[in-house]
Amino acid sequence: MVFLTRQTEFAASHFLHNPALSPEENRRLFGKSNAPSGHGHNYVLQVTVRGEVDPRTGMVLDLKELKDLIEAEVMQAMDHRFLNHELPAFAAAIPTTENVAVEIWRRLAPRISTGQLHQVRLYETPDLFVDYFGETNGR
Ligand code: NI
């Protein structure tokens, strides 16, 4: 079993707000991040796929395919986007780093053709990141 990771970066803006809470609770919970005009982050994404090395190719999966998949499902959807307003997933879920990582997993996992998606690591800042391993992998 080999774990292969591709890293990519994208810029996006967001704000944190729960419509079920009062304006005062939102401000207390999210602080400056509650401002509806939003603010930006330079996200760093690491996508890890696990699998056996194919003896014919020497690879876990086609690297071009993985790059194209991340381009189509993450970059096209999220790069230079206002996550709250431009992604349907964040009409219902608050676009925290946690929920953005889960959304990236949901977009990628069903479309990995060889091997399995193992981990989505998403850095919001150089000193804050989230790891997501999928809902059934909670060991
Ligand atoms: Ni933020």
Side-chain angles (χ1 to χ4, degrees):
M1 187 71 70
V2 174
F3 297 77
L4 179 143
T5 300
R6 177 173 280 284
Q7 176 168 309
T8 188
E9 297 183 29
F10 63 95
S13 56
H14 74 165
F15 69 103
L16 304 181
H17 180 82
N18 182 342
L21 303 177
S22 70
E24 294 73 25
E25 285 175 302
N26 270 292
R27 275 195 293 274
R28 192 170 63 241
L29 190 56
F30 300 120
K32 284 192 295 185
S33 296
N34 185 231
S37 50
H39 60 273
H41 293 285
N42 293 315
Y43 291 95
V44 175
L45 171 65
Q46 295 172 351
V47 173
T48 302
V49 176
R50 68 168 185 267
E52 304 292 339
V53 176
D54 182 339
R56 193 176 63 84
T57 63
M59 299 192 292
V60 172
L61 80 168
D62 185 322
L63 298 179
K64 174 80 162 57
E65 187 184 311
L66 179 59
K67 186 178 183 185
D68 290 349
L69 181 57
I70 293 169
E71 174 66 28
E73 291 295 328
V74 180
M75 300 303 283
Q76 294 288 332
M78 297 188 180
D79 191 31
H80 288 76
R81 302 287 181 160
F82 198 140
L83 299 175
N84 303 69
H85 301 311
E86 297 187 71
L87 272 89
F90 301 125
I94 305 164
T96 54
T97 316
E98 293 90 326
N99 282 335
V100 176
V102 170
E103 173 63 11
I104 290 170
W105 177 284
R106 286 185 181 144
R107 286 168 169 266
L108 296 179
R111 300 190 57 199
I112 302 284
S113 64
T114 314
Q116 285 185 299
L117 186 56
H118 173 70
Q119 174 178 273
V120 168
R121 172 170 287 185
L122 183 65
Y123 286 83
E124 188 177 80
T125 64
D127 52 9
L128 178 74
F129 63 87
V130 163
D131 288 329
Y132 187 59
F133 299 93
E135 288 169 12
T136 60
N137 198 2
R139 284 166 289 170

